[in-house]
């Protein structure tokens, strides 16, 4: 079974708007990046405060913004220059 082409994501569509669940394209990892299949995740305070100024002005470069900064899972794809992880590693 390969890597899916779409995933569920929690979006903030515009500044000061609530989170909404939607579909998003699964990104491919760059040369020094890995793709992780998320098994567990959670929202934390940063996911709440990033919606509104002044934090949104400082931390969000474009809208819509995909929320979520805490997660764990399994590496499913690695970039060509990644040497310290392999597919199947848990993160």
């Amino acid at each position: 079974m390969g890597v899916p082409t779409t995933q569920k994501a929690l979006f903030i569509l515009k500044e000061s708007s609530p989170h909404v669940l939607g579909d998003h394209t699964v990104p491919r990892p760059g040369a020094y990046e890995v793709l992780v299949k998320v098994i567990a995740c959670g929202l934390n305070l940063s996911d709440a405060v990033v919606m509104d100024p002044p934090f949104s002005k400082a931390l969000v470069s474009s809208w819509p913004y995909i929320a979520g900064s805490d997660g764990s899972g399994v590496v499913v794809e690695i970039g060509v220059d990644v040497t310290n992880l392999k597919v199947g590693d848990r993160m």
Side-chain angles (χ1 to χ4, degrees):
M1 182 176 191
V3 175
T5 57
T6 61
Q7 64 184 344
K8 292 292 182 191
L10 195 58
F11 292 89
I12 304 171
L13 297 176
K14 61 183 181 175
E15 191 171 64
S16 299
S17 68
H19 292 89
V20 293
L21 186 63
D23 293 316
H24 190 267
T25 303
V26 174
R28 303 275 55 101
Y32 292 97
E33 298 175 329
V34 298
L35 179 64
V36 176
K37 177 181 179 181
V38 175
I39 304 299
C41 64
L43 295 178
N44 65 34
L45 183 59
S46 68
D47 297 307
V49 301
V50 74
M51 299 181 335
D52 298 312
F55 298 105
S56 58
K57 301 277 189 220
L59 300 173
V60 178
S61 59
S62 65
W63 302 96
Y65 173 79
I66 297 179
S69 56
D70 289 333
S72 64
V74 178
V75 175
V76 294
E77 191 173 332
I78 62 171
V80 295
D81 293 319
V82 174
T83 59
N84 58 339
L85 293 169
K86 64 185 182 310
V87 172
D89 283 352
R90 295 177 183 209
M91 303 197 63

